Amino acid sequence: MSAPRPNPLLSDRDVDFQLDEVIHVEHLCTLPAFAEHSRETFGLLLDSARRFAREVLYPTYRTLDLEPPSFEGGRVKVHPLMRELYPRLVELGMLTATRPPDVGGQQLPMTVHALASAYLMAANLSAYAYLGLTHGAAHLLEVFGSPEVKQAFMEPLYRGEWTGTMALTEPQAGSSLADVRTRATPAGDGTWRIQGSKIFISGGDQDFTENVVHLTLARTEGPESGTRGISLFAVPARRREGDALVDNDVRVAGVIHKIGWKGIPSLALNYGEAGDCRGWMVGPPGRGLACMFQMMNEARIMVGLNGVATASAAYHEAVAYARERPQGRPAGAKDATRPQSPIIEHADVRRMLLRQKAIVEGGLSLLLTAAYQADLASHAADEDTRRSAGLLVDLLTPVAKSFPAERGFEANALAVQVHGGYGYSSEYLPEAWLRDQKLNSIHEGTTGIQGLDLLGRKVVAGGGAALATFAREVGRTVARAKTAGVDAGWGDALERTCGEVAELVSELGAKGMAGEVELMLRHSADFLELFSILAVAWRWLEQAAAAKEGLARGQGDSDFYEGKLAAAQYWFAVELPRVPLLVDLCRTGEDSYARMRPEWF
């Protein structure tokens, strides 16, 4: 097998454009939380992450994909490379980069951390996943853990001495967490005895740190059923007794064999087979799921970033291949002795590359906007700004998770197609990235669940307050685009479509209020798709405005800006016109699959 070609993973020029010309990240430095930072300190983290991603992580990707963890003697053994990679990932400071100094952090904006993470994900998503899960577990303990629990578990997680997981799913309860059966009973010493099974636990065991802490949902004794009877526990694989770490009765029951994400194991775990599994409660009793949603929502943004990163690596691979691969000649050329043309000169190849670009750069802009709004929601100086930003984060999270996963898979498939027969082979990387990408539409709530969340909760919550906030942001972008000289028709189409979607939400919400919940939610997947198209159109209009402003400055880089305008044109010409059809499906409640009986299949 040939060594992987050099790959930028993400475009540094696009990253700078998104930060400096689209969202103006330096504004965050005016907030007290980030006052000690500057664009230069943001750049230090990004430079370190992209250099480590390209020089260290990316060269290990193929090896970890080809040599997944093994299960020997009841323990998981990961590739020996992870013993070198994980400490170096920790040294980058990514575990605590966004956290305050009192827990060892730098208090950097999530916006900057997200971009740094995207480079690392694009390089080797499985290796980074250990770090991302550990950060999420430690942050959950930071917010909800008692001082004792923080000292016992959060501190070694943030130091990188242990890793963490989120242990929700059970064999009989996938996304239906109300059906969790794992039990927790008081042990009489402040701890709880945990007994039950979990499945699909990413990173649930490894041999490069001395311990793994599972943030586990379990049901306590009592009358509460459903999610109200569920509490959250920190359950270490090994618990501390005196100065020693001893077995905590957490067993690996099996390793899941996966088509992608092969560098990190997905496991079935059994708790308490010997009746001696101890857990420490995190947060209030019966509020486990509410606490866990912090980690789940962070993980959803992480999955969206993975989707963009994986699609981005494949896109850059496809562009490089298309520039150097000769095949065929221009349409109408009849001289067979003429040298073959690089395939990038063929219109259909440019069609596929432009679609990838529109998905990757539109998705990245969407995720950075969500991260930027999350920074404002947590740290803006005035309450109104924090509230509005929080509404936008809630609204955009299901879209930011699902769009990069679903459309990213399409972009990855196009990268395979650009490579032709070579794309189908394992000697080239696009087939591996395609395998990896598919998991993103399943991780942290399937696309169908995200659609139900968006339509059933987010757009109707508070009388449509989040949707109204979104419309105001769209209006600001339209005004900026008009001032910059962007085609006015794009802004008009965006505002018109935004109005159509608002009317649809009002109609569907009325059906739900009238008790016709099934009819309201029947086309929630289509609603998620149409809203994703709309949200990405908003981000492409913002990028078009910034590109026009860049061209007007006349400082060069015209190829970059013209490429942005072509991608924006593509989105408004090809994607946005699809929204009315999807609106009609939602409005009429088209019932072909709703009336389909199981026996008819």
Side-chain angles (χ1 to χ4, degrees):
M1 276 185 187
S2 60
R5 73 166 80 240
N7 187 314
L9 306 174
L10 273 71
S11 161
D12 295 347
R13 179 66 185 91
D14 187 43
V15 165
D16 289 342
F17 173 74
Q18 302 278 2
L19 286 177
D20 301 327
E21 301 177 61
V22 178
I23 63 173
H24 301 293
V25 71
E26 71 277 4
H27 171 73
L28 292 176
C29 299
T30 66
L31 306 181
F34 307 122
E36 295 185 5
H37 288 290
S38 65
R39 182 62 177 86
E40 287 69 31
T41 62
F42 296 165
L44 290 175
L45 180 65
L46 291 172
D47 288 343
S48 297
R50 62 169 61 110
R51 187 165 55 251
F52 184 79
R54 290 166 179 162
E55 297 174 6
V56 180
L57 270 189
Y58 181 57
T60 69
Y61 170 77
R62 192 195 294 272
T63 300
L64 265 62
D65 181 65
L66 291 174
E67 301 176 40
S70 60
F71 186 39
E72 304 173 21
R75 289 296 311 277
V76 170
K77 293 186 179 296
V78 301
H79 196 283
L81 278 171
M82 281 306 306
R83 296 193 187 96
E84 304 171 27
L85 292 176
Y86 195 73
R88 296 186 66 179
L89 278 166
V90 172
E91 289 172 10
L92 278 176
M94 294 291 289
L95 269 176
T96 56
T98 62
R99 308 314 312 139
D102 61 1
V103 295
Q106 300 171 266
Q107 198 151 313
L108 280 160
M110 185 185 296
T111 309
V112 178
H113 183 264
L115 271 175
S117 298
Y119 279 102
L120 301 171
M121 292 169 176
N124 192 328
L125 77 175
S126 295
Y128 179 82
Y130 292 103
L131 194 84
L133 287 165
T134 300
H135 166 82
H139 187 202
L140 192 64
L141 294 169
E142 178 190 340
V143 174
F144 296 108
S146 65
E148 296 76 19
V149 164
K150 290 179 183 179
Q151 183 178 16
F153 302 112
M154 179 197 77
E155 292 181 8
L157 289 172
Y158 271 152
R159 289 195 298 265
E161 297 167 2
W162 299 352
T163 60
T165 77
M166 53 192 306
L168 290 73
T169 305
E170 298 183 1
Q172 82 294 336
S175 300
S176 180
L177 295 176
D179 296 312
V180 162
R181 293 178 186 166
T182 297
R183 310 295 302 189
T185 56
D189 60 357
T191 67
W192 296 71
R193 303 286 179 132
I194 311 296
Q195 195 160 31
S197 300
K198 299 290 180 180
I199 198 167
F200 303 126
I201 308 307
S202 296
D205 191 30
Q206 40 78 9
D207 58 352
F208 59 83
T209 71
E210 62 181 359
N211 207 0
V212 181
V213 181
H214 306 290
L215 273 295
T216 300
L217 292 181
R219 192 173 297 284
T220 54
E221 299 291 340
E224 296 285 3
S225 61
T227 59
R228 293 185 179 181
I230 297 174
S231 297
L232 178 63
F233 299 87
V235 183
R238 284 160 284 285
R239 65 178 185 262
R240 191 171 295 283
E241 290 188 359
D243 293 331
L245 283 175
V246 302
D247 182 81
N248 192 39
D249 196 12
V250 178
R251 300 283 176 263
V252 178
V255 177
I256 311 300
H257 300 284
K258 305 180 292 182
I259 64 168
W261 288 67
K262 291 195 172 185
I264 183 169
S266 179
L267 306 179
L269 300 177
N270 289 341
Y271 297 158
E273 286 183 348
D276 193 31
C277 179
R278 309 291 179 91
W280 283 256
M281 187 175 284
V282 179
R287 298 288 295 164
L289 190 57
C291 296
M292 184 59 90
F293 261 112
Q294 173 185 290
M295 189 174 180
M296 290 169 67
N297 283 329
E298 288 181 357
R300 285 169 177 169
I301 296 297
M302 187 171 80
V303 169
L305 280 168
N306 266 313
V308 165
T310 302
S312 178
Y315 164 64
H316 288 293
E317 194 83 357
V319 169
Y321 180 83
R323 290 188 193 282
E324 67 184 27
R325 166 66 169 162
Q327 186 167 304
R329 294 165 182 83
K334 301 185 183 298
D335 184 358
T337 64
R338 178 177 174 175
Q340 291 186 326
S341 302
I343 61 173
I344 201 167
E345 294 184 13
H346 299 313
D348 193 60
V349 172
R350 293 200 300 277
R351 172 189 64 83
M352 292 187 283
L353 294 175
L354 182 57
R355 185 160 184 80
Q356 290 178 72
K357 177 182 175 71
I359 291 169
V360 169
E361 295 176 10
L364 182 61
S365 185
L366 177 68
L367 278 154
L368 288 182
T369 299
Y372 185 84
Q373 294 298 327
D375 284 325
L376 293 179
S378 297
H379 302 294
D382 64 282
E383 185 176 345
D384 286 345
T385 301
R386 290 195 301 273
R387 179 178 176 277
S388 294
L391 288 170
L392 276 175
V393 173
D394 286 345
L395 182 68
L396 293 177
T397 294
V399 180
K401 186 272 178 190
S402 57
F403 174 85
E406 294 290 354
R407 293 302 185 89
F409 184 78
E410 182 184 347
N412 279 94
L414 288 169
V416 170
Q417 188 78 6
V418 168
H419 279 73
Y422 293 110
Y424 189 67
S425 70
S426 58
E427 280 74 21
Y428 286 72
L429 286 174
E431 66 85 24
W433 287 317
L434 181 68
R435 291 188 279 105
D436 288 337
Q437 184 71 275
K438 189 62 207 140
L439 187 54
N440 290 319
S441 61
I442 300 170
H443 261 160
E444 305 311 323
T446 63
T447 302
I449 288 173
Q450 304 304 321
L452 290 170
D453 180 43
L454 179 65
L455 180 55
R457 297 185 183 93
K458 300 301 173 57
V459 296
V460 295
L467 195 59
T469 302
F470 175 81
R472 286 196 297 272
E473 291 300 315
V474 166
R476 292 191 184 100
T477 298
V478 170
R480 177 185 180 184
K482 288 181 178 177
T483 301
V486 175
D487 185 336
W490 296 359
D492 293 343
L494 183 62
E495 288 195 307
R496 182 172 61 252
T497 305
C498 195
E500 291 172 357
V501 172
E503 290 178 9
L504 174 65
V505 168
S506 180
E507 293 175 24
L508 294 177
K511 290 176 181 177
M513 292 292 289
E516 298 179 286
V517 178
E518 187 278 331
L519 186 58
M520 172 192 176
L521 298 177
R522 182 177 294 169
H523 285 276
S524 56
D526 292 317
F527 183 85
L528 175 62
E529 183 175 2
L530 71 86
F531 195 83
S532 298
I533 292 170
L534 174 64
V536 174
W538 166 45
R539 300 320 304 153
W540 267 117
L541 188 64
E542 195 88 47
Q543 292 185 74
K548 280 287 191 180
E549 292 161 359
L551 286 170
R553 289 193 296 270
Q555 297 175 342
D557 221 2
S558 61
D559 287 344
F560 174 83
Y561 291 130
E562 291 292 355
K564 284 290 181 183
L565 291 170
Q569 175 187 335
Y570 175 87
W571 202 262
F572 278 91
V574 176
E575 283 294 315
L576 195 63
R578 296 181 57 237
V579 172
L581 171 61
L582 295 167
V583 167
D584 191 57
L585 289 174
C586 296
R587 175 174 284 130
T588 62
E590 193 280 324
D591 70 346
S592 54
Y593 76 83
R595 71 183 188 87
M596 188 74 178
R597 298 176 186 172
E599 59 269 23
W600 293 355
F601 285 99

